[in-house]
C-alpha cells in the first residue's frame, strides 16, 4: 500500500482519499433509517436527490481528516460527517430557490425537478412553479431534521459522551446557521446595492459567513470528536477551525471564478447565473475599481440584467476578465490559503496533515 501511495502525487492521493470518504458518506445516508420517515414520495425523492448525486464531499472530508489529524477514530465521526453533508444539502436546496438556479450537480435543482413533474401532472405553469418551490422548501426543512438525527447516531451507535454530542449539535445550530443565514441575507440585499457603495471587506465577510463558517465548524467538530474534547479553545481545535475558515473563504472566491469560466457540464450549475442575478462578488468589485467611466457603465448595465442573452453574458465575462476582476480574485484566494496553512504549524505531522495541506491547495487549484 505504501509503495502504491509513493507512486502517486499528493493531489492524486488526496483525491483518492476524499473519494473514498465520499462513498462512505453516500452509503451511510442512502441506508439511513431516517429515509423511512420521509413521505410522501415527492418528499422522499426530493430529499434524496442531492445526496444520491453527491458532490466532492469536501465538508465531510475535512471533518474526517481533522478527526484523524488529532489521532481520532474516523469511524465514530462518520455520522457527524454525514450530518454536515445533509446540513449543507438543505441550504443548497433553499439557495437554489433564492438564486433561481434550475441546475445543481448537473441535474435539475429540487424546485425545478418538481416543477417539471407537476407539469406532467397537468398543472399550469404558475401552479407547477409554486408546487416545485413548495416541495423544495419542505425538503430543505425535513433535511434539517435529518441532520440532527445523524449527529445523534454518535451516541446511539458509538456511545459518544452525550455532552459532546450536544455541543456538536449546538455548534452547527448556533455557531453556523445564524451566520450562514446572515451571509445569505447580505447576498440578497447587496444585489440591490450599487457596487461603488460596497467595500471589498463587506463582500468577503458575506462569503465567509455563507461558506467559510461551515467549513470551519466541520473541522472543529471533527477535532472535537477525535480528541473527545468540548473545549473550543483547545489549541489544535482552534487551529484546525481557523485553517478551514480561511480555506472556506478561498473556496467561495474560486467558486465565483468557476461560475464564470468553467463549463456547465463540469461545474454542475448554470454558467453566468451570478451575472444575471447581479451578485456582488469580488470579481465585480475589482473589475469596477479598474474600469474607466465607460466600462463602469457597461458593467452596471450588464450585471443584474435577468433577461441577459448568452452573447451579453459572454460580453460581461470578457469585460470582467479584461479588467482583471478574475485575476485579482484569484490572487486574493491564494492569500487566504497562505494564511490558512500557517495555522497548521501546531498540528502534529502525519498523513492526515498532508491531506489537509492538499485539501487547501485543492480549494484554489480546482477547475470544476
Amino acid at each position: 500500500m505504501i509503495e502504491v501511495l509513493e507512486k502517486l502525487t499528493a493531489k492524486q492521493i488526496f483525491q483518492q482519499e476524499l473519494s473514498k470518504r465520499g462513498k462512505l458518506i453516500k452509503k451511510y445516508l442512502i441506508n439511513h433509517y431516517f429515509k423511512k420517515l420521509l413521505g410522501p414520495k415527492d418528499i422522499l425523492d426530493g430529499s434524496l436527490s442531492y445526496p444520491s448525486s453527491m458532490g466532492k464531499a469536501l465538508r465531510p472530508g475535512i471533518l474526517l481528516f481533522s478527526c484523524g489529524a488529532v489521532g481520532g477514530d474516523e469511524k465514530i465521526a462518520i455520522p457527524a460527517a454525514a450530518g454536515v453533508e445533509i446540513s449543507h444539502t438543505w441550504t443548497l436546496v433553499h439557495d437554489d430557490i433564492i438564486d433561481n438556479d434550475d441546475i445543481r450537480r448537473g441535474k435539475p435543482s429540487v424546485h425545478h425537478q418538481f416543477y417539471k413533474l407537476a407539469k406532467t401532472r397537468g398543472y399550469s405553469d404558475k401552479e407547477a412553479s409554486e408546487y416545485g418551490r413548495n416541495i423544495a422548501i419542505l425538503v430543505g426543512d425535513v433535511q434539517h431534521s435529518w441532520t440532527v438525527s445523524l449527529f445523534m447516531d454518535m451516541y446511539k451507535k458509538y456511545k459518544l459522551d452525550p455532552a459532546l454530542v450536544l455541543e456538536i449539535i449546538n455548534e452547527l445550530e448556533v455557531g453556523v446557521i445564524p451566520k450562514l443565514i446572515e451571509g445569505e441575507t447580505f447576498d440578497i440585499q447587496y444585489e440591490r446595492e450599487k457596487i461603488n457603495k460596497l467595500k471589498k471587506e463587506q463582500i468577503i465577510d458575506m462569503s465567509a459567513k455563507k461558506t467559510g463558517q461551515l467549513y470551519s465548524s466541520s473541522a472543529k467538530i471533527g477535532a472535537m470528536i477525535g480528541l473527545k474534547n468540548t473545549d473550543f479553545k483547545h489549541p489544535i481545535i482552534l487551529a484546525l477551525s481557523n485553517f478551514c475558515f480561511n480555506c472556506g473563504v478561498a473556496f467561495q472566491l474560486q467558486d465565483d471564478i468557476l461560475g464564470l469560466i468553467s463549463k456547465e457540464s463540469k461545474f454542475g450549475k448554470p454558467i453566468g447565473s451570478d451575472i444575471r442575478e447581479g451578485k456582488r462578488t469580488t470579481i465585480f468589485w475589482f473589475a469596477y475599481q479598474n474600469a474607466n467611466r465607460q466600462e463602469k457603465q457597461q458593467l452596471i448595465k450588464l450585471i443584474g440584467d435577468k433577461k441577459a442573452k448568452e452573447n451579453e453574458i459572454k460580453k460581461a465575462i470578457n469585460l470582467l476578465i479584461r479588467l482583471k476582476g478574475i485575476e485579482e480574485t484569484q490572487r486574493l484566494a491564494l492569500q487566504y490559503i497562505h494564511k490558512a496553512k500557517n495555522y497548521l504549524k501546531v498540528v502534529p505531522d502525519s498523513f492526515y496533515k498532508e491531506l489537509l495541506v492538499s485539501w487547501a491547495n485543492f480549494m484554489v487549484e480546482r477547475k470544476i
Side-chain angles (χ1 to χ4, degrees):
M1 177 67 178
I2 294 174
E3 290 180 3
V4 173
L5 290 177
E6 285 177 349
K7 294 179 182 178
L8 299 174
T9 65
K11 181 179 179 181
Q12 289 172 326
I13 294 169
F14 161 73
Q15 290 176 329
Q16 188 179 83
E17 293 297 318
L18 185 66
S19 175
K20 189 189 303 180
R21 285 156 182 82
K23 289 174 183 175
L24 281 174
I25 299 304
K26 182 177 179 179
K27 183 179 179 181
Y28 193 88
L29 290 172
I30 297 302
N31 294 321
H32 197 250
Y33 78 87
F34 198 87
K35 273 177 56 179
K36 296 177 182 178
L37 304 177
L38 298 170
K41 188 176 184 300
D42 285 359
I43 294 296
L44 172 64
D45 292 346
S47 298
L48 296 179
S49 177
Y50 293 176
S52 65
S53 58
M54 269 184 66
K56 290 173 280 292
L58 291 169
R59 292 156 190 84
I62 201 63
L63 188 152
L64 295 173
F65 293 162
S66 296
C67 178
V70 299
D73 182 356
E74 282 189 69
K75 182 181 177 182
I76 297 173
I78 286 175
V84 162
E85 179 65 19
I86 290 297
S87 183
H88 174 55
T89 299
W90 77 256
T91 65
L92 293 181
V93 173
H94 286 177
D95 193 52
D96 287 340
I97 300 170
I98 294 168
D99 290 344
N100 299 302
D101 282 341
D102 292 343
I103 298 173
R104 170 68 63 179
R105 295 173 181 169
K107 293 168 51 177
S109 54
V110 173
H111 70 271
H112 194 59
Q113 174 186 346
F114 289 97
Y115 159 80
K116 292 169 69 176
L117 182 62
K119 291 287 285 184
T120 68
R121 294 172 177 170
Y123 287 46
S124 69
D125 197 67
K126 182 175 182 294
E127 291 169 338
S129 180
E130 289 177 351
Y131 185 77
R133 181 198 64 210
N134 293 343
I135 290 296
I137 291 170
L138 294 170
V139 162
D141 290 345
V142 80
Q143 285 176 328
H144 193 166
S145 176
W146 189 2
T147 299
V148 176
S149 77
L150 286 160
F151 281 114
M152 288 300 296
D153 284 355
M154 289 187 291
Y155 169 70
K156 292 179 179 179
K157 287 189 174 183
Y158 301 111
K159 302 304 176 187
L160 199 66
D161 183 356
L164 178 55
V165 174
L166 286 172
E167 282 290 351
I168 288 169
I169 293 172
N170 189 66
E171 168 62 23
L172 191 68
E173 296 296 312
V174 178
V176 176
I177 292 174
K179 290 179 181 176
L180 188 150
I181 298 298
E182 183 182 357
E184 187 66 43
T185 304
F186 283 144
D187 193 17
I188 295 167
Q189 292 174 342
Y190 289 172
E191 289 175 19
R192 308 286 297 179
E193 194 73 58
K194 292 180 180 179
I195 191 67
N196 63 327
K197 298 294 183 182
L198 289 172
K199 296 178 180 178
K200 178 182 65 176
E201 290 74 19
Q202 288 177 281
I203 297 172
I204 294 171
D205 177 66
M206 171 191 71
S207 296
K209 287 182 167 73
K210 281 180 60 180
T211 308
Q213 204 62 47
L214 183 56
Y215 275 117
S216 173
S217 287
S218 296
K220 188 184 295 184
I221 290 168
M224 287 167 64
I225 295 168
L227 292 169
K228 296 182 179 179
N229 191 325
T230 59
D231 181 10
F232 293 153
K233 294 183 179 179
H234 185 289
I236 295 183
I237 293 176
L238 197 58
L240 288 169
S241 175
N242 286 327
F243 163 75
C244 284
F245 177 81
N246 285 280
C247 285
V249 175
F251 173 91
Q252 185 59 54
L253 294 171
Q254 182 71 1
D255 211 54
D256 291 342
I257 293 170
L258 294 176
L260 297 179
I261 64 173
S262 187
K263 293 182 179 179
E264 189 173 296
S265 59
K266 291 183 177 181
F267 192 49
K269 292 185 284 186
I271 300 302
S273 62
D274 281 358
I275 291 174
R276 287 194 177 92
E277 293 299 318
K279 295 294 183 184
R280 275 27 182 175
T281 62
T282 56
I283 299 170
F284 185 12
W285 190 89
F286 280 125
Y288 189 85
Q289 302 305 311
N290 296 332
N292 59 35
R293 185 175 179 180
Q294 183 181 358
E295 290 165 336
K296 285 178 179 178
Q297 290 175 342
Q298 282 183 289
L299 285 170
I300 291 169
K301 181 182 178 181
L302 290 168
I303 296 177
D305 182 359
K306 296 185 185 300
K307 296 181 180 179
K309 297 177 182 178
E310 285 303 313
N311 65 312
E312 292 172 316
I313 294 295
K314 289 179 181 177
K315 184 179 179 181
I317 292 172
N318 288 335
L319 189 56
L320 292 169
I321 292 171
R322 183 160 58 82
L323 292 171
K324 300 186 183 299
I326 288 177
E327 181 182 324
E328 294 197 38
T329 293
Q330 191 143 46
R331 187 180 298 118
L332 182 61
L334 287 169
Q335 289 171 6
Y336 272 95
I337 292 300
H338 179 73
K339 182 179 178 182
K341 288 179 180 178
N342 284 331
Y343 286 108
L344 290 181
K345 290 177 181 177
V346 302
V347 178
D349 290 341
S350 68
F351 177 59
Y352 284 102
K353 184 175 179 178
E354 292 173 12
L355 290 175
L356 292 173
V357 172
S358 295
W359 183 81
N361 293 334
F362 180 77
M363 292 293 99
V364 288
E365 291 175 356
R366 65 197 176 97
K367 302 300 180 185
I368 57 171

